[in-house]
Amino acid sequence: MDVMKKYRDAIQKTIQSRGVDRNNRLDAAIDYALVSGGKRLRPALMLAVLDAYGLPWERYVEVALSVEFVHTYSLVHDDLPAMDDDALRRGVPTTHIAYDEATAILAGDALLTDAFSLIVDASVLSDAEKVRLVQILSLHAGSKGMVYGQMLDLLYEGKPVGQDMLEAIHLHKTAKLIEAPLMMGAVIGSPSDVSAWEKVGRLLGLAFQIQDDVLEVTSDESTMGKSLSDERNEKSTYVKLLGLDQAKALIGDIFLELQETIGTMEINVHMMHSVFDSVRKRIN
Ligand code: GRG
């Protein structure tokens, strides 16, 4: 069984039980972006870390949702005409197509802002934990993190990019928001392990992005549920840089390094291996 399913299901249930005012256009657009498909990878990773430390992960689903809010905002904004200009996301029309551009911008703004309320309002967290989680999530999402990666990504569209720059783009654009939930789980589970989880997130984020580059050429829009627009947007990818076979080999190397990295940690290592396997096997 997919070890991530129980976390994904809990996250989906919490998303669906949020009160939505259908007469409120902003609320409806936020719900539209959130509720549709989506692997829920990032919040599931936070719950998996808690579980790996033997903590009652079910109590932290709302906290983990904060990362899904930030991720969903980034997808809504990334799809806008000023960015990748995509029409399909999570198997449905992108938010600016289903609503309009201004509403999509505001829905993204609201998701980003509300993410931090989810942390601050969580009674399961101590005040010190809240501060640390807000610090990690904001640092990883903001001008030194994912948004910086998006800026680099746009600046290098159509330009030749070497492996160092490609890695810098993806370490920021993708890996930062995969590091964050792992580190957030560690803040609660074992604060002295936070930097070890940062390394795990860096590796997992990179592997995830290379996989995404591979799937961009080996899969199709209906399987992926999103527009595949790297070619149109002249994006640099690992497949273009290394070729398909070497890109796949690099993914394998990174997963081996991941297993080694968690091997010495005092966690349920077996369970985390299953988590990595489920990420590795993703087809969507
Ligand atoms: C607009 C500030 C801003 C940032 C955008 C997330 C992002 C940064 C861009 C999306 C485009 C892209 C290919 C990003 C790389 C990370 C990635 C593969 C995102 C898609 O994540 P999944 O596959 O999506 O986990 P689901 O829909 O399953 O949640």
Side-chain angles (χ1 to χ4, degrees):
M1 204 192 78
D2 178 4
V3 67
M4 297 289 260
K5 187 177 181 313
K6 64 181 176 186
Y7 313 125
R8 264 203 312 271
D9 289 350
I11 293 152
Q12 193 63 19
K13 205 167 135 199
T14 305
I15 289 175
Q16 278 166 344
S17 62
R18 295 168 63 249
V20 181
D21 177 1
R22 300 262 157 229
N23 295 317
N24 174 334
R25 188 171 173 80
L26 179 61
D27 230 25
I30 291 169
D31 190 60
Y32 177 83
L34 264 182
V35 117
S36 56
K39 294 178 287 300
R40 317 298 184 201
L41 170 69
R42 295 153 188 81
L45 286 173
M46 179 176 170
L47 299 177
V49 170
L50 294 169
D51 205 5
Y53 283 111
L55 290 171
W57 61 268
E58 298 89 342
R59 297 177 62 203
Y60 296 89
V61 178
E62 292 250 345
V63 179
L65 200 53
S66 64
V67 190
E68 186 67 13
F69 271 38
V70 173
H71 170 59
T72 304
Y73 122 74
S74 81
L75 299 179
V76 171
H77 282 192
D78 184 66
D79 291 332
L80 288 166
M83 303 247 183
D84 280 0
D85 193 11
D86 285 331
L88 183 69
R89 171 71 66 182
R90 294 177 160 176
V92 292
T94 44
T95 309
H96 67 275
I97 302 276
Y99 287 82
D100 57 73
E101 239 178 277
T103 306
I105 292 170
L106 294 175
D109 291 340
L111 279 162
L112 173 61
T113 313
D114 290 354
F116 295 98
S117 296
L118 284 171
I119 297 174
V120 172
D121 293 342
S123 55
V124 70
L125 298 172
S126 69
D127 287 351
E129 285 169 339
K130 289 177 187 177
V131 171
R132 191 75 180 102
L133 296 195
V134 166
Q135 186 186 39
I136 290 171
L137 189 53
S138 58
L139 184 68
H140 283 73
S143 62
K144 304 280 185 288
M146 178 184 69
V147 175
Y148 177 60
Q150 181 74 352
M151 187 78 249
L152 288 176
D153 190 55
L154 294 174
L155 287 173
Y156 282 91
E157 272 179 7
K159 300 206 176 96
V161 166
Q163 192 159 350
D164 286 353
M165 181 48 71
L166 191 60
E167 194 170 294
I169 292 172
H170 294 315
L171 283 177
H172 288 86
K173 190 178 87 162
T174 306
K176 288 285 177 189
L177 211 61
I178 290 186
E179 289 165 15
L182 295 167
M183 295 167 72
M184 289 162 73
V187 164
I188 300 160
S190 175
S192 59
D193 287 347
V194 169
S195 58
W197 285 106
E198 183 175 19
K199 182 180 176 196
V200 170
R202 189 175 190 274
L203 291 168
L204 193 61
L206 209 50
F208 186 80
Q209 179 61 52
I210 303 170
Q211 260 183 336
D212 212 64
D213 288 354
V214 167
L215 288 166
E216 178 92 18
V217 293
T218 59
S219 191
D220 55 64
E221 294 197 342
S222 71
T223 311
M224 296 293 282
K226 64 177 181 178
S227 305
L228 300 178
S229 57
D230 283 357
E231 198 59 50
R232 165 169 52 83
N233 286 322
E234 297 182 62
K235 301 276 187 194
S236 301
T237 72
Y238 277 90
V239 175
K240 280 189 210 160
L241 193 70
L242 304 175
L244 191 57
D245 289 344
Q246 251 191 286
K248 284 182 178 170
L250 185 53
I251 297 171
D253 291 347
I254 296 175
F255 274 102
L256 278 180
E257 196 179 341
L258 267 171
Q259 295 196 348
E260 276 170 29
T261 306
I262 61 157
T264 54
M265 293 172 77
E266 284 183 34
I267 52 166
N268 183 340
V269 171
H270 178 72
M271 201 210 84
M272 276 322 288
H273 280 169
S274 306
V275 167
F276 295 153
D277 277 350
S278 105
V279 178
R280 189 169 183 180
K281 285 187 200 127
R282 83 178 162 126
I283 49 153
N284 184 24

